[in-house]
Amino acid sequence: MTEARGSAGPNGATHAGHAPGTPCWVSLMVHGLTATQEFYGALFGWEFRPGPQQLGPYVRAVLDGREVAGIGQLPPDRHLPIAWTPYLASNDVDQTADTVRLCGGTVGVGPLDAGEAGRMAICSDPSGAVFGIWQTPAHRGTPITGVPGTPAWNDLLTFESVNVAKFYATVFAYEEEPEVSADSDHVTLRVEGRPVAGIHGMGHALPRDRGPHWMTYFEVADPDAMVDRVVGLGGHVLKPAQDGEHGRVATVSDPEGARFSLIRTR
């Protein structure tokens, strides 16, 4: 994971554009938009500005004047799992959405235009994990990484990695780097040689209440202190901070149940 934090960062943020398949944006759909802004504003220091309204009320989170994420409001009658969703770059959303369908995935929303920001679709892979596709003429996704409060990485947590990795490799032409052993089922997805995302096969250890899902990691300076802050703001701790291969990581959820990880990368 840390290899991706070179000049490009795991989200390709310093590039003028995004190579197809590169995670370029993260977005969260919630029921309480105002309360969610208050939570993440206090947690990460985000400010907010209006965004495209094609999916209803939507704001872009801003850090030091630059956009880092999006938060939208679900219709009252939509009872969907609340989750952070990564958007993967595409040069042609319509064509990519067709490929998703041909490979056994589902296109749930779009493709549709998001104002002048670009064109998008929301899909799910054959295991049910939700992700977005983004084509942009103007809004280039997350423009900064590597500082506290910005997306640092995205992992797919699923039952097994091999077949799901084939789906993503077919749709986005990823290079796959498998790490399968008796105690590990992991595939790193690469774009132009750069690691951009990971797939973890968890088998029966996958949380039953969530099923396969993408996990977004946000860079922080002190995961332990941030865990305390999450709790103080009404969130929950799912995994306390601990040292791992790529840094110190904690997994938490916001007051509506959206899960995310806090990481201080090495």
Side-chain angles (χ1 to χ4, degrees), residues 21-260:
T22 306
C24 60
W25 188 246
V26 290
S27 189
L28 176 66
M29 300 298 291
V30 299
H31 293 291
L33 182 57
T34 299
T36 300
Q37 290 180 72
E38 292 173 354
F39 173 84
Y40 286 100
L43 184 66
F44 292 135
W46 290 350
E47 298 177 340
F48 299 91
R49 62 176 61 148
Q53 305 296 303
Q54 277 72 11
L55 298 178
Y58 188 88
V59 296
R60 288 179 179 148
V62 177
L63 186 65
D64 295 330
R66 291 175 286 184
E67 296 171 352
V68 295
I71 302 175
Q73 183 166 313
L74 287 166
D77 59 342
R78 296 295 296 275
H79 301 289
L80 301 173
I82 307 300
W84 280 100
T85 300
Y87 282 72
L88 309 177
S90 170
N91 292 331
D92 187 332
V93 165
D94 296 78
Q95 182 177 359
T96 303
D98 287 341
T99 306
V100 166
R101 295 187 187 97
L102 289 171
C103 293
T106 302
V107 179
V109 177
L112 55 82
D113 291 325
E116 297 180 354
R119 190 163 175 79
M120 57 157 287
I122 300 176
C123 309
S124 59
D125 65 29
S127 73
V130 176
F131 64 96
I133 310 170
W134 189 271
Q135 176 185 349
T136 173
H139 174 59
R140 299 194 179 278
T142 314
I144 53 172
T145 60
V147 298
T150 63
W153 185 254
N154 293 279
D155 269 336
L156 172 60
L157 309 182
T158 188
F159 293 109
E160 58 83 30
S161 68
V162 175
N163 290 320
V164 177
K166 288 180 180 177
F167 165 83
Y168 285 97
T170 302
V171 174
F172 293 103
Y174 289 124
E175 306 149 19
E176 302 174 59
E177 182 183 343
E179 301 171 20
V180 180
S181 64
D183 57 355
S184 177
D185 179 10
H186 179 262
V187 174
T188 299
L189 301 177
R190 294 176 176 266
V191 171
E192 299 174 347
R194 295 178 295 111
V196 297
I199 298 177
H200 287 275
M202 301 180 65
H204 295 300
L206 189 71
R208 293 185 179 181
D209 60 330
R210 298 299 292 187
H213 62 281
W214 281 90
M215 173 74 72
T216 296
Y217 292 69
F218 291 95
E219 185 76 32
V220 296
D222 186 342
D224 298 82
M226 291 296 283
V227 163
D228 292 338
R229 186 179 299 180
V230 166
V231 174
L233 293 170
H236 303 278
V237 180
L238 304 178
K239 291 183 180 179
Q242 57 186 350
D243 292 324
E245 180 182 358
H246 303 295
R248 191 162 179 82
V249 182
T251 302
V252 299
S253 66
D254 68 21
E256 284 205 29
R259 302 182 180 201
F260 58 99

